[in-house]
Amino acid sequence: MPLNRRKFLERSAVTGAGVALAAGVTAPTATAAGAGRSKKRPKRYALTVMGTTDLHGHVFNWDYFKDAEYSDKDGNAQGLARISTLVNQVRAEKGRRNTLLLDAGDTIQGTPLTYYYAKVDPITAQGGPVHPMAQAMNAIGYDAVALGNHEFNYGIETLRTFEEQCDFPLLGANALDAKTLRPAFPPYFMKTFRVKGAPPVKVAVLGLTNPGIAIWDKAYVQGKLTFPGLEEQAAKWVPKLRSMGADVVVVSAHSGSSGTSSYGDQLPYVENAAANVARQVPGIDAILVGHAHVEIPELRVTNEKTGKDVVLSEPLCYAERLTLFDIELAFERGRWQVESVKASLRDSKTVEDDPRITKLLTDEHEKVVAYVNQVVGTATETLTTVEARYKDAPIIDLITKVQEDVVKAALAGTEHASLPVLSQASPGSRTSAIPAGDVTIRDLSSLYVYDNTLVAKLMTGAQLRAYLEYSAEYFVQTAAGAPVDVAKLTNAGGRPDYNYDYVSGLTYDIDIAQPAGARIKNLSYGGAPLDDAQRFVFAVNNYRANGGGAFPHVASAPELWSESTEIRTRIAEWVTAKGVLDPKDFASVDWRLTRDGTPVF
């Protein structure tokens, strides 16, 4: 590992006297048996480990897409400025020297703020700015952060620059150099807590990231980094940390707890493996869970080898929650033993922004607000994604049209220039809208919130038929004549909206009265039934092209072209060049929902 990363592997803290130690060391007391005999109670120490995850560039409680304070139906609040206030409260309650602050990854991607400092005013430029997330997290005093998969979205140079700007290590025990198979980032972090009148408590934090990086950011990491499974690497490192004297082992894992994967059988590793790690690897006391964007106050998983509970917790994403692991230790038989671990959550909506963080990053925030409010065109009518999950919406056709045009231009003059180009897009948001009148970068960014790039694949008619059948599994089977509740019509099996695809350039019906696998009807190209042998160029985002969502055939299909410019940027360029955003230039009716041949809508 780089020498300048080694400084992070071990740190120490000295607990303060007074109240913080009142419960830490107790005086001997007389036994009930009586005179002349006394029995010492074990020395005790209370440690609190705080954790966030999936911050995704949220510094303030601000929605850049709406140009307003963030709000939702549950009254949640977001941002590191709120987390800072919560952390200050916990440190005041517990004693700062009795706490650790961790994060489980996905830090530098997700908002226009992070995009701006990766692409518009990049931190990689000579003399470039310090990333706002590094500034905020340094100021708050994070001890260690696990790598998330989205850390790799802007390439390794951006990640390494961010790493250098942080006062804490980015951990990834299973992010290995592809050639040497040695850790490319610090695998762990150690901190020693000194207790008055007792031996020190040594805490190890093991960082694990997501194997799916090998698929989702293949263009950046292939041949450079490899990402083995979390279970395998935890089994390797936890015994090492214990042998190094760790009294407490905490894992910060950018991996959900469900045991499922979104990439099918493309990798032999589990995407959401945190509970597997707890179950299979002895010696872990607590796991800070990330990646899944769900709220888990406390989950107890019994280790199969020791029979002991491992406590897991996942705070809600975007800095909406802070996890607390309260760990009680007792010094018995010459060593510290973990007696109990309890997890709980604190809520960002219960506090106000820390003015220290507000003052620190107001300038950066205002630059991004100005950037996203630039006008790039005019819309002739309002376009919205409100019904885009179950009706062919023009606003999604805008995405497919832009992708189609970019790929056609890229392949002009090549051997594949004469092939028809089809295009894929998903209704990734239910609330995006491009209002009639002025169109801003903010409007277009809200339509395409992911930093995906464009890839051209070579596919056959038969492969596209299978692709559409898989996509149609998104709908809940609904008998002909049964009432249709649009709130319950989609997301069958928990499939997210971003894993349902439109395919433009073909026409087809999706018969939701039929079972999954037999729903695509009247599939046509150019007014004639689709020829299974016909070849097409398929314009897809890099997430899908690399296997995200486990759609059939696309990951293994020949790649004809790819680029590093974000699809979001291509949309802005297209609208800017047109000047006027008129549905007649891009909208088409390619698909509809039916039941036994009768349209649902």
Side-chain angles (χ1 to χ4, degrees):
M1 75 189 68
L3 288 175
N4 61 343
R5 294 296 96 188
R6 291 182 182 171
K7 66 182 180 181
F8 291 126
L9 294 184
E10 294 208 24
R11 289 181 180 173
S12 63
V14 182
T15 58
V19 175
L21 284 173
V25 182
T26 59
T29 60
T31 66
R37 297 177 61 189
S38 66
K39 183 178 180 181
K40 288 186 177 180
R41 292 180 182 175
K43 298 179 179 69
R44 298 188 179 280
Y45 181 67
L47 169 73
T48 297
V49 178
M50 297 176 282
T52 54
T53 190
D54 296 276
L55 298 172
H56 285 288
H58 288 79
V59 171
F60 297 128
N61 190 46
W62 188 261
D63 188 332
Y64 290 97
F65 302 128
K66 294 181 179 178
D67 198 27
E69 285 277 334
Y70 174 79
S71 64
D72 63 18
K73 62 181 177 60
D74 298 316
N76 285 312
Q78 302 179 338
L80 277 171
R82 298 288 180 106
I83 290 294
S84 184
T85 302
L86 291 175
V87 168
N88 291 340
Q89 289 180 351
V90 175
R91 286 171 173 162
E93 293 169 19
K94 312 286 185 177
R96 179 169 184 143
R97 293 174 178 176
N98 302 318
T99 66
L100 267 174
L101 179 57
L102 310 176
D103 184 83
D106 276 4
T107 303
I108 60 170
Q109 177 278 339
T111 61
L113 180 79
T114 52
Y115 178 80
Y116 186 89
Y117 287 99
K119 294 290 188 176
V120 181
D121 186 11
I123 62 172
T124 52
Q126 187 168 1
V130 176
H131 200 290
M133 294 301 286
Q135 291 188 59
M137 296 174 85
N138 288 343
I140 295 168
Y142 274 79
D143 290 287
V145 172
L147 291 165
N149 53 285
H150 284 288
E151 259 64 83
F152 295 85
N153 286 175
Y154 297 120
I156 293 174
E157 181 186 7
T158 296
L159 175 55
R160 287 299 191 189
T161 302
F162 175 70
E163 180 186 30
E164 288 300 319
Q165 293 178 344
C166 293
D167 293 340
F168 48 84
L170 303 182
L171 305 179
N174 61 326
L176 310 181
D177 182 281
K179 295 184 175 63
T180 66
L181 298 183
R182 298 182 64 182
F185 295 84
Y188 66 90
F189 166 80
M190 294 276 254
K191 189 167 184 176
T192 300
F193 294 83
R194 305 198 182 278
V195 183
K196 186 177 179 181
V201 173
K202 199 168 188 179
V203 180
V205 180
L206 179 67
L208 297 169
T209 191
N210 206 289
I213 296 165
I215 294 174
W216 304 321
D217 277 302
K218 178 180 176 182
Y220 290 124
V221 302
Q222 188 173 38
K224 298 176 182 178
L225 297 171
T226 186
F227 302 88
L230 286 84
E231 303 95 326
E232 168 193 324
Q233 293 301 302
K236 172 183 175 180
W237 282 100
V238 172
K240 287 185 179 181
L241 298 175
R242 289 293 184 183
S243 70
M244 293 164 63
D247 301 298
V248 180
V249 173
V250 178
V251 174
S252 184
H254 192 76
S255 180
S257 62
S258 65
T260 61
S261 293
S262 68
Y263 40 69
D265 60 0
Q266 295 178 79
L267 290 176
Y269 312 119
V270 177
E271 177 182 351
N272 296 301
N276 291 353
V277 171
R279 193 175 297 112
Q280 297 173 18
V281 181
I284 298 169
D285 297 298
I287 301 180
L288 177 64
V289 179
H291 183 63
H293 290 209
V294 297
E295 182 175 313
I296 303 174
E298 181 180 270
L299 173 65
R300 292 183 173 269
V301 176
T302 302
N303 184 268
E304 295 171 341
K305 296 180 182 177
T306 66
K308 294 182 178 179
D309 279 356
V310 182
V311 178
L312 286 69
S313 180
E314 181 174 2
L316 202 56
C317 53
Y318 310 147
E320 292 186 8
R321 304 287 187 274
L322 176 72
T323 279
L324 269 63
F325 293 104
D326 287 306
I327 303 172
E328 298 284 343
L329 297 99
F331 191 75
E332 298 179 292
R333 297 184 295 277
R335 59 171 297 178
W336 287 104
Q337 306 275 356
V338 172
E339 282 198 332
S340 68
V341 182
K342 297 178 181 178
S344 60
L345 298 176
R346 296 210 179 178
D347 195 330
S348 293
K349 69 185 176 188
T350 65
V351 297
E352 297 299 321
D353 288 356
D354 182 343
R356 187 172 57 106
I357 305 302
T358 302
K359 181 179 179 180
L360 180 67
L361 291 168
T362 292
D363 288 349
E364 287 83 349
H365 169 71
E366 290 180 348
K367 285 180 183 178
V368 177
V369 169
Y371 165 73
V372 299
N373 281 288
Q374 293 180 69
V375 175
V376 294
T378 303
T380 61
E381 62 184 76
T382 296
L383 303 169
T384 176
T385 59
V386 170
E387 298 181 322
R389 291 170 295 133
Y390 46 86
K391 293 182 181 179
D392 190 341
I395 196 169
I396 307 299
D397 294 332
L398 171 61
I399 301 171
T400 60
K401 174 62 174 171
V402 170
Q403 294 178 164
E404 179 185 326
D405 285 359
V406 170
V407 168
K408 282 181 177 178
L411 295 180
T414 72
E415 62 178 304
H416 299 103
S418 61
L419 293 179
V421 177
L422 309 179
S423 184
Q424 157 273 342
S426 304
S429 166
R430 300 187 182 189
T431 59
S432 294
I434 299 174
D438 288 346
V439 177
T440 64
I441 289 175
R442 170 169 57 86
D443 299 323
L444 301 175
S445 296
S446 73
L447 171 61
Y448 209 108
V449 298
Y450 305 106
D451 293 323
N452 292 335
T453 56
L454 193 54
V455 180
K457 291 275 192 165
L458 185 63
M459 302 272 281
T460 67
Q463 291 173 330
L464 288 162
R465 186 187 305 274
Y467 188 102
L468 287 170
E469 282 288 5
Y470 178 82
S471 184
E473 293 176 11
Y474 169 75
F475 295 98
V476 174
Q477 188 173 3
T478 308
V484 175
D485 180 353
V486 295
K488 299 178 181 178
L489 186 61
T490 61
N491 308 102
R495 181 184 292 197
D497 298 341
Y498 62 78
N499 276 338
Y500 167 61
D501 282 4
Y502 288 34
V503 173
S504 69
L506 301 174
T507 57
Y508 55 97
D509 294 342
I510 302 173
D511 193 330
I512 59 174
Q514 304 303 315
R519 292 177 171 173
I520 301 300
K521 310 294 182 184
N522 305 318
L523 180 56
S524 302
Y525 171 71
L530 181 68
D531 179 355
D532 283 353
Q534 184 170 355
R535 298 193 306 162
F536 296 89
V537 176
F538 194 34
V540 296
N541 65 57
N542 65 305
Y543 174 77
R544 192 71 80 236
N546 291 334
F551 279 64
H553 305 300
V554 66
S556 59
E559 183 177 303
L560 306 180
W561 171 87
S562 65
E563 67 169 348
S564 59
T565 300
E566 293 80 6
I567 293 168
R568 180 196 299 124
T569 300
R570 290 301 193 189
I571 295 170
E573 290 172 347
W574 193 92
V575 174
T576 302
K578 288 280 184 182
V580 176
L581 191 60
D582 189 334
K584 69 179 176 59
D585 294 329
F586 54 83
S588 60
V589 179
D590 299 309
W591 62 273
R592 62 181 182 171
L593 295 186
T594 63
R595 290 187 292 181
D596 293 345
T598 301
V600 174
F601 302 106

